[in-house]
Amino acid sequence: MLKARGGHSRSDALIIGGGHNGLVCAAYLAAAGLKVTVLERRAVVGGAAVTEEFHPGFRNSVAAYTVSLLNPKVIRDLDLPAHGLRVVERRCANFLPTADGRYLLTGDGRTPAEVARFSARDAAHLSEYGARLDAIADVLRDLVLMTPPNALRGGWRAALPELVRAARVGGRLGRLDIRLRRELLALFAMSAGEYLDRWFESEPIKAVYGFDGVVGNYASPYSSGTAYVLLHHVAGEVNGKHGAWGHAIGGMGAITQAMASAAAARGVEIRVATPVREVLVEGERAVGVITESGETLRAAAVISNLNPRLLYLNMIAPAALPADVREHMSHWRCGSGTFRMNVALSELPDFTCLPGRALADHHTAGIILAPTLAYMEQAYFDARSYGWSRRPIIELVIPSTLDDTLAPRGQHVASLFCQHVAPQLPNGASWDTHRETVADLMIDTVNAYAPNFKAAVLGRQIMSPLDLERTFGLIGGDISHGVMSLDQLFSARPMLGYGNYRGPLRGLYMCSAGTHPGGGVTGAPGHNAAREVLSDFRRGRLRRVA
Ligand SMILES: Cc1cc2nc3c(=O)[nH]c(=O)nc-3n(C[C@H](O)[C@H](O)[C@H](O)COP(=O)(O)OP(=O)(O)OC[C@H]3O[C@@H](n4cnc5c(N)ncnc54)[C@H](O)[C@@H]3O)c2cc1C
């Protein structure tokens, strides 16, 4: 462990951005004795994982809205429960109204009987499907906290550790039997739709599972690569239960407030309302930053929590970067096809297919309004042609059914995660012109399933892709700092040659969702980047300045 030293005028590590990955990275570095400063542009830390009062008396998570991917090691190491984090499970997993007026309600102990109402064959396949997916998801769980092997450069001394890393990945895959290796190949390369069609014949269960392949992913469920996104979304856990999604009491901001508290307790200095304008480069080395207000701060390590395209195209002088890096990042694909709303509700939605305004299990679920994979595919085609789906996909989550800190007694807040919308509208149209129209469409879509919904809306918050970009720095509203496609994953996140959290300048590092393992409130990029920074301090590649 590195020894702590006194003196607060300079930092060993400066982190640009106080998103959850920046905070996690900071906490690990400070725990090892480094002097760490986090610089956050907004008045509040947390990035896309924050809670806000959006209507008088009603609070909700503004962007990210549900927990599963947050890594258990990060929770343990930062001791987040001691800093106030409490995550609760939903009473059931998903509720999906069907096109013919029925519904599917999944969750512990109830899924087989529910699916059997649509297909006895599908019900019989559920357990084998779940077992295989969980076995493959275990591989992902093992890989998330690993630094991907970097594309080889230099002589054997540089190559050796990368070969060892590659061998570790190979070894992990080698522990799968040949059937599971075939399955893994299918999941990495196929579409979610084709994969699910292999397993199931009835639409509702395919839609519930297929939603995970398109959530935050601007694609048809029949686009190649969506099966991998599905896998990414089932690789999480809530309180040890694999694949479950839950709710952080106080909203997603409670997670990042706990992280900020853990970081501060370890001595991290967190400065909010301090946007960084530029990375300071001297002699091919990142040596600090210049803030928007013109302040220069120096450090041995500069670590970016930003979308890598923002870092390389906006924050570093072009002449200071290799041309191939700028070229690669100019093609970095961003845009997740999402439109996010919060609504304050005077009462719970009364669904035609499962009537009742009194709180019931289905109100606590992830409510998926998209009855079939074909519907989801059409939603994507519409957005490509017109800018948004005429019949959108919505996940409705009503966290106040599990958390009484969010809304006045008897009233509720709901998150609407809506797709598909084009990151940039056709013909140069602006999202500022169309956001209210699209918000009305989302409310009408929910109202078609629960006819009391529209009248129950007391207030609403709208986040178009442009709003997400302006508020959080998410390019094209991309929730993952870059599309999660095979060409942008693992060693290629954000680019081959720099897949190990180190940037192309000495002293420059990356810790955002734009690095492995990608998007979601995971803490994993922050954890992994900290390990690499600490390793460079230990090996003398970085020298403490604080
Ligand atoms: C609408 C939406 C819904 C989502 N839903 C979920 C969900 O339910 N569950 C889930 O697990 N994940 C969800 N996600 C994904 C998840 O929130 C993100 O992938 C994750 O928050 C990324 O974390 P990060 O720390 O890498 O980056 P960010 O959270 O983007 O943080 C980056 C930080 O950098 C700051 N910054 C930017 N520019 C500067 C600058 N120049 N100077 C200083 N600071 C700067 C930003 O203000 C921000 O605080 C969702 C995301 C969105 C947008």
Side-chain angles (χ1 to χ4, degrees):
M1 182 180 268
L2 295 157
K3 293 249 166 61
R5 282 205 219 144
H8 285 73
S9 55
R10 305 177 83 177
S11 307
D12 296 311
L14 274 175
I15 300 186
I16 310 172
H20 85 283
N21 278 313
L23 296 170
V24 167
C25 186
Y28 277 106
L29 294 178
L34 293 187
K35 181 80 198 68
V36 185
T37 304
V38 173
L39 304 171
E40 166 55 41
R41 181 176 62 106
R42 300 186 72 216
V44 58
V45 292
V50 284
T51 303
E52 209 174 75
E53 185 177 62
F54 66 96
H55 185 75
F58 293 81
R59 297 187 315 132
N60 201 8
S61 309
V62 182
Y65 59 102
T66 179
V67 199
S68 174
L69 306 175
L70 184 56
N71 194 275
K73 177 171 187 292
V74 172
I75 298 177
R76 257 192 333 269
D77 289 350
L78 270 59
D79 203 3
L80 295 181
H83 293 275
L85 179 64
R86 189 157 75 89
V87 178
V88 295
E89 285 170 47
R90 301 170 180 173
R91 277 158 51 180
C92 53
N94 288 110
F95 171 55
L96 178 119
T98 62
D100 61 359
R102 300 156 80 195
Y103 66 86
L104 177 67
L105 187 60
T106 63
D108 271 356
R110 57 173 110 210
T111 310
E114 281 278 315
V115 171
R117 296 196 290 121
F118 297 91
S119 161
R121 176 182 172 273
D122 286 359
H125 284 174
L126 280 171
S127 119
E128 178 64 11
Y129 171 84
R132 283 216 214 158
L133 211 62
D134 199 45
I136 308 288
D138 265 344
V139 177
L140 233 60
R141 291 182 192 111
D142 286 353
L143 297 184
V144 290
L145 290 186
M146 151 175 201
T147 297
N150 208 19
L152 301 180
R153 310 148 158 271
W156 65 269
R157 279 162 71 98
L160 208 56
E162 307 309 334
L163 289 172
V164 171
R165 281 200 182 97
R168 273 182 53 205
V169 178
R172 180 59 186 90
L173 299 183
R175 296 215 300 276
L176 295 175
D177 71 32
I178 188 67
R179 240 164 38 123
L180 285 175
R181 273 188 248 171
R182 287 187 198 122
E183 204 80 15
L184 180 123
L185 178 64
L187 279 161
F188 272 58
M190 284 177 77
S191 74
E194 285 164 315
Y195 185 73
L196 290 165
D197 287 341
R198 283 183 176 186
W199 283 93
F200 303 111
E201 61 183 12
S202 62
E203 285 303 329
I205 191 64
K206 286 197 268 186
V208 163
Y209 289 155
F211 173 76
D212 277 335
V214 296
V215 63
N217 186 16
Y218 190 40
S220 153
Y222 285 95
S223 306
S224 301
T226 46
Y228 176 80
V229 176
L230 183 160
L231 187 64
H232 179 83
H233 285 120
V234 302
E237 59 187 79
V238 171
N239 301 331
K241 190 182 288 177
H242 282 183
W245 285 82
H247 171 73
I249 298 296
M252 298 300 278
I255 298 176
T256 48
Q257 286 303 311
M259 288 172 171
S261 165
R266 287 158 175 78
V268 173
E269 181 193 12
I270 299 174
R271 289 177 59 181
V272 294
T274 310
V276 171
R277 188 178 68 210
E278 192 183 328
V279 174
L280 189 62
V281 180
E282 289 173 1
E284 297 184 5
R285 182 168 202 130
V287 295
V289 301
I290 305 174
T291 66
E292 287 289 356
S293 66
E295 188 183 359
T296 297
L297 297 157
R298 301 180 78 90
V302 176
I303 307 164
S304 167
N305 181 204
L306 312 188
N307 183 312
R309 196 159 104 188
L310 276 183
L311 171 69
Y312 292 116
L313 300 190
N314 294 14
M315 315 249 329
I316 302 179
L321 279 179
D324 64 296
V325 169
R326 279 185 61 83
E327 199 214 325
H328 184 88
M329 291 321 301
S330 68
H331 302 304
W332 180 247
R333 288 180 301 111
C334 295
S336 41
T338 45
F339 188 96
R340 178 76 170 85
M341 292 178 69
N342 282 316
V343 291
L345 294 173
S346 59
E347 61 178 354
L348 285 169
D350 185 4
F351 288 91
T352 311
C353 64
L354 185 55
R357 294 170 198 210
L359 174 59
D361 288 355
H362 66 286
H363 289 121
T364 73
I367 300 166
I368 299 174
L369 304 179
T372 64
L373 294 177
Y375 176 106
M376 296 184 202
E377 179 161 59
Q378 190 57 48
Y380 173 67
F381 291 155
D382 277 3
R384 294 285 300 198
S385 307
Y386 310 111
W388 59 83
S389 313
R390 287 172 295 187
R391 299 175 72 208
I393 305 164
I394 300 177
E395 183 176 33
L396 180 75
V397 171
I398 313 172
S400 49
T401 57
L402 299 167
D403 179 354
D404 60 10
T405 69
L406 301 175
R409 204 177 161 77
Q411 300 185 313
H412 289 277
V413 288
S415 305
L416 279 72
F417 193 68
C418 315
Q419 290 179 252
H420 282 293
V421 301
Q424 281 83 33
L425 288 172
N427 306 319
S430 167
W431 269 112
D432 286 339
T433 313
H434 296 286
R435 62 198 289 283
E436 297 289 336
T437 308
V438 174
D440 289 343
L441 168 70
M442 300 309 173
I443 302 280
D444 287 342
T445 301
V446 181
N447 209 62
Y449 293 92
N452 70 330
F453 186 75
K454 193 172 181 169
V457 173
L458 304 170
R460 68 189 194 180
Q461 180 180 40
I462 303 170
M463 287 274 165
S464 73
L466 183 58
D467 297 321
L468 290 170
E469 178 158 342
R470 282 191 193 128
T471 310
F472 300 110
L474 299 169
I475 297 176
D478 195 307
I479 74 167
S480 301
H481 289 195
V483 173
M484 301 270 291
S485 52
L486 284 186
D487 59 318
Q488 299 197 159
L489 286 175
F490 205 48
S491 304
R493 194 164 185 86
M495 66 194 122
L496 279 183
Y498 303 107
N500 64 357
Y501 307 97
R502 293 173 180 82
L505 302 170
R506 283 165 67 206
L508 181 66
Y509 298 81
M510 298 164 280
C511 72
S512 91
T515 60
H516 172 72
V521 179
T522 67
H527 167 281
N528 298 350
R531 182 180 54 223
E532 297 307 317
V533 172
L534 288 172
S535 148
D536 285 357
F537 271 108
R538 283 197 195 95
R539 291 170 188 202
R541 290 182 192 156
L542 293 172
R543 282 181 212 285
R544 297 196 55 179
V545 295

Coordinates of all heavy atoms in Angstrom, one line a residue, residues 41 274-278 290-295 315:
R41 N -18.3 19.2 -13.0 CA -18.9 20.4 -13.7 C -20.2 20.8 -13.1 O -20.4 22.0 -12.9 CB -19.2 19.9 -15.2 CG -19.8 21.0 -16.1 CD -19.9 20.5 -17.5 NE -20.8 19.3 -17.5 CZ -22.0 19.4 -18.1 NH1 -22.5 20.5 -18.6 NH2 -22.8 18.3 -18.1
T274 N -17.2 22.9 -10.9 CA -15.8 23.2 -11.4 C -15.6 22.5 -12.7 O -14.9 21.5 -12.8 CB -14.8 22.7 -10.4 OG1 -15.1 23.2 -9.1 CG2 -13.4 23.2 -10.7
P275 N -16.1 23.0 -13.8 CA -15.9 22.4 -15.1 C -14.5 22.5 -15.6 O -13.9 23.5 -15.4 CB -16.9 23.1 -16.1 CG -17.2 24.4 -15.4 CD -17.0 24.2 -13.9
V276 N -14.0 21.4 -16.1 CA -12.6 21.4 -16.7 C -12.7 21.8 -18.2 O -13.6 21.3 -18.9 CB -12.0 20.0 -16.5 CG1 -10.7 19.9 -17.3 CG2 -11.8 19.7 -15.0
R277 N -11.8 22.7 -18.6 CA -11.8 23.1 -20.0 C -10.8 22.3 -20.8 O -11.1 22.0 -22.0 CB -11.5 24.6 -20.1 CG -11.6 25.2 -21.4 CD -11.3 26.6 -21.4 NE -9.9 26.9 -21.2 CZ -9.4 27.9 -20.6 NH1 -10.2 28.9 -20.1 NH2 -8.1 28.1 -20.5
E278 N -9.7 21.9 -20.2 CA -8.6 21.4 -21.0 C -7.7 20.5 -20.2 O -7.5 20.8 -19.0 CB -7.8 22.6 -21.5 CG -6.8 22.4 -22.6 CD -6.1 23.7 -23.0 OE1 -6.7 24.8 -22.9 OE2 -4.9 23.6 -23.3
I290 N -6.8 22.6 -16.9 CA -7.2 24.0 -16.7 C -8.7 24.0 -16.6 O -9.4 23.4 -17.5 CB -6.7 24.8 -17.9 CG1 -5.2 24.6 -18.1 CG2 -7.0 26.3 -17.7 CD1 -4.6 25.3 -19.3
T291 N -9.2 24.7 -15.6 CA -10.7 24.7 -15.5 C -11.3 25.8 -16.4 O -10.6 26.7 -16.9 CB -11.1 25.0 -14.0 OG1 -10.7 26.3 -13.7 CG2 -10.5 24.0 -13.1
E292 N -12.6 25.8 -16.5 CA -13.3 26.8 -17.3 C -13.0 28.2 -16.7 O -12.9 29.2 -17.5 CB -14.8 26.6 -17.3 CG -15.3 25.5 -18.1 CD -15.2 25.7 -19.6 OE1 -14.8 26.8 -20.1 OE2 -15.5 24.7 -20.4
S293 N -12.8 28.3 -15.4 CA -12.5 29.7 -14.8 C -11.0 30.0 -15.0 O -10.6 31.1 -14.5 CB -12.9 29.7 -13.4 OG -12.1 28.8 -12.6
G294 N -10.2 29.2 -15.6 CA -8.8 29.5 -15.9 C -7.8 29.0 -14.8 O -6.6 29.3 -14.9
E295 N -8.3 28.3 -13.8 CA -7.4 27.8 -12.8 C -6.6 26.6 -13.3 O -7.2 25.7 -14.0 CB -8.3 27.4 -11.6 CG -7.5 27.0 -10.4 CD -8.4 26.5 -9.2 OE1 -9.7 26.4 -9.4 OE2 -7.9 26.1 -8.2
M315 N -11.0 18.1 -25.2 CA -10.3 18.6 -24.1 C -8.8 18.5 -24.2 O -8.0 18.9 -23.3 CB -10.7 17.8 -22.8 CG -12.1 17.6 -22.7 SD -13.0 18.3 -21.4 CE -11.9 18.4 -20.1

